[in-house]
Amino acid sequence: MEVTKKDIRALTKEELRAFFVSNGDKAFRGNQVYEWLWNKAAHSFEDMTSISKETRKMLNDNFVINHVKVDHMQRSNDGTIKNAVKLYDGLIVESVLIPAATRTTACVSSQVGCSLDCKFCATARLKRMRNLNPDEIYDQVVAIDNQSRFYYNRPLSNIVFMGMGEPLMNYKNVIKAIDKITSPEGLGMSPRRITVSTSGVPKMIKKLADDEVKFKLAVSLHAALDDVRTSIMPFNEKFPLDDLREALEYWYAKTKSRITYEYVIWKGINDLRKDAEALVRFCRFAPSKVNLIEYNPIGDDQFKQAGNDAISMYQDLLERNGITVTVRRSRGKDIDAACGQLANKS
Ligand code: SAH
């Protein structure tokens, strides 16, 4: 009978330790193997030179090490790098390296495709969907850290969960991946340099607060009036702004961590004064700041970036009300690597 071998990287350290004990070995062997898997990023049991040959064979008989592979890499004129990352089952996700003067940011995916249906996002058009495993998320970060060292002579400094998928719909695996990324046995990165972006799943935002996570939270708000938001992000019907507001108040009360709202202004959709006033009101619920992001066309006529007048109107109103606002330019547009453009095009 063909036995499907288990992915060894799905095991926690405790589980690995227990595995060795149940096989008549010492628990600390589990620590050694764990370090090979995570800290030293071993791709095969053969690589684990401090482990005896017999033990390596035993591991090989019982487990596989599933690693993602950068299948295709594109570099933008502005230095942004987009990776098509192949998973063990052949599916592809994308992750992006964004270099800036003093830092390098990795934008990573949490799902293949997405469970939500934002009308302006290319990823939402992909049908096929599964959650990424913790190691598949972790591997994207390792790959980008290597690219950052190779192309820009410095390690990766920041991570944003703004690639494909809705991180809070893959809660457990995202948390496990971040635990690995921040643990000294993994990459030892500070959680304050990690931002999880959500389109706003109230129950899960509360769970983040209860779990006392230390990373930052961004919310793709785009509209602070229910009818407008539902028309562009239909799941808002199920999770209306009142519920989102309540969850964000809860988040702030527990974490004292300021929330970032991501917001695109589209012509004829949310470019009126009443839209901006609603945003100001929403920002008052919990300490927050606003990133006005540029719209990246995804090949339809419904959505068009609003003009500079609308952007200035928002900016003035927010600033006059004491709310921090930044206007963000897109990166990597020429290779479809910008926000909302990730759809496995190449
Ligand atoms: N599902 C999560 C993570 C994806 S982040 C979330 O929604 O936050 C991707 C970010 O890009 C989100 O803020 C999303 O609203 C934004 N986005 C999606 N499509 C876009 C587009 N075409 N142009 C600019 N931003 C877009």
Side-chain angles (χ1 to χ4, degrees):
M1 194 181 79
E2 176 76 9
V3 183
T4 333
K5 295 188 202 171
K6 200 171 167 174
D7 178 8
I8 192 166
R9 295 199 309 157
L11 268 56
T12 62
K13 191 155 130 195
E14 275 320 306
E15 288 165 343
L16 252 186
R17 285 163 58 88
F19 171 81
F20 278 102
V21 172
S22 70
N23 277 277
D25 203 334
K26 304 250 169 34
F28 88 86
R29 195 80 59 223
N31 298 20
Q32 285 179 313
V33 170
Y34 191 86
E35 198 183 323
W36 274 111
L37 290 172
W38 296 103
N39 197 293
K40 299 181 189 153
H43 279 227
S44 86
F45 295 112
E46 279 308 293
D47 294 345
M48 301 182 179
T49 46
S50 65
I51 310 288
S52 76
K53 271 221 167 88
E54 300 79 69
T55 306
R56 279 187 260 159
K57 179 171 180 317
M58 188 269 285
L59 287 172
N60 201 31
D61 290 342
N62 284 280
F63 299 105
V64 287
I65 305 178
N66 285 334
H67 260 282
V68 307
K69 183 170 165 280
V70 175
D71 201 45
H72 185 70
M73 180 189 127
Q74 280 172 284
R75 268 186 102 180
S76 154
N77 297 331
D78 66 18
T80 301
I81 295 176
K82 180 168 86 168
N83 297 307
V85 174
K86 197 178 215 157
L87 310 174
Y88 72 91
D89 55 3
L91 292 175
I92 304 259
V93 290
E94 292 175 336
S95 51
V96 182
L97 177 160
I98 308 150
T102 54
R103 59 185 188 176
T104 312
T105 302
C107 175
V108 298
S109 295
S110 55
Q111 298 181 309
V112 187
C114 189
S115 15
L116 299 176
D117 48 8
C118 304
K119 296 231 161 105
F120 46 82
C121 180
T123 306
R125 294 180 180 169
L126 297 175
K127 290 239 165 47
R128 188 87 201 254
M129 207 281 282
R130 79 162 166 87
N131 285 334
L132 294 192
N133 297 324
D135 48 292
E136 292 172 326
I137 298 170
Y138 182 87
D139 285 354
Q140 294 175 61
V141 174
V142 172
I144 292 187
D145 183 38
N146 289 337
Q147 287 173 335
S148 179
R149 289 168 198 269
F150 185 79
Y151 291 103
Y152 297 102
N153 290 317
R154 57 176 185 238
L156 176 68
S157 58
N158 296 71
I159 303 173
V160 294
F161 279 76
M162 296 187 189
M164 293 173 157
E166 168 50 50
L168 299 193
M169 295 285 200
N170 184 14
Y171 189 94
K172 252 182 23 211
N173 292 351
V174 166
I175 297 291
K176 276 191 185 168
I178 295 177
D179 282 348
K180 288 265 155 62
I181 293 165
T182 52
S183 102
E185 280 150 335
L187 297 177
M189 270 182 82
S190 160
R192 300 305 297 163
R193 292 176 172 275
I194 301 175
T195 301
V196 169
S197 176
T198 176
S199 38
V201 189
K203 206 170 94 189
M204 290 305 172
I205 292 173
K206 284 188 177 167
K207 183 156 170 52
L208 286 176
D210 286 336
D211 288 346
E212 296 178 11
V213 299
K214 297 284 180 290
F215 49 78
K216 295 192 202 160
L217 181 66
V219 175
S220 303
L221 194 61
H222 301 309
L225 295 169
D226 269 315
D227 55 339
V228 180
R229 196 163 194 262
T230 301
S231 74
I232 54 177
M233 303 168 85
F235 65 87
N236 184 69
E237 181 103 57
K238 212 165 120 205
F239 308 127
L241 286 164
D242 257 352
D243 294 3
L244 180 58
R245 182 202 71 192
E246 196 212 327
L248 293 170
E249 285 170 345
Y250 187 84
W251 158 271
Y252 188 79
K254 284 232 159 178
T255 65
K256 294 284 171 291
S257 168
R258 186 160 82 146
I259 303 147
T260 300
Y261 296 125
E262 296 153 273
Y263 202 100
V264 177
I265 311 170
W266 289 284
K267 209 181 242 164
I269 290 180
N270 57 356
D271 56 352
L272 300 179
R273 201 175 169 82
K274 70 173 174 64
D275 298 294
E277 285 167 352
L279 176 58
V280 168
R281 283 198 298 279
F282 199 86
C283 287
R284 292 222 177 92
F285 296 137
S288 47
K289 61 175 179 161
V290 174
N291 276 349
L292 293 177
I293 57 182
E294 203 181 330
Y295 176 57
N296 304 305
I298 58 165
D300 69 12
D301 296 331
Q302 196 192 346
F303 292 96
K304 288 211 166 56
Q305 163 85 47
N308 286 337
D309 287 359
I311 297 173
S312 306
M313 184 269 289
Y314 264 84
Q315 214 173 351
D316 290 349
L317 199 66
L318 288 162
E319 278 169 358
R320 268 196 282 125
N321 283 279
I323 299 154
T324 310
V325 50
T326 45
V327 180
R328 290 237 182 279
R329 309 280 314 162
S330 288
R331 303 288 305 270
K333 254 191 190 178
D334 54 327
I335 54 167
D336 284 329
C339 290
Q341 290 188 312
L342 301 182
N344 296 341
K345 264 207 233 165
S346 66

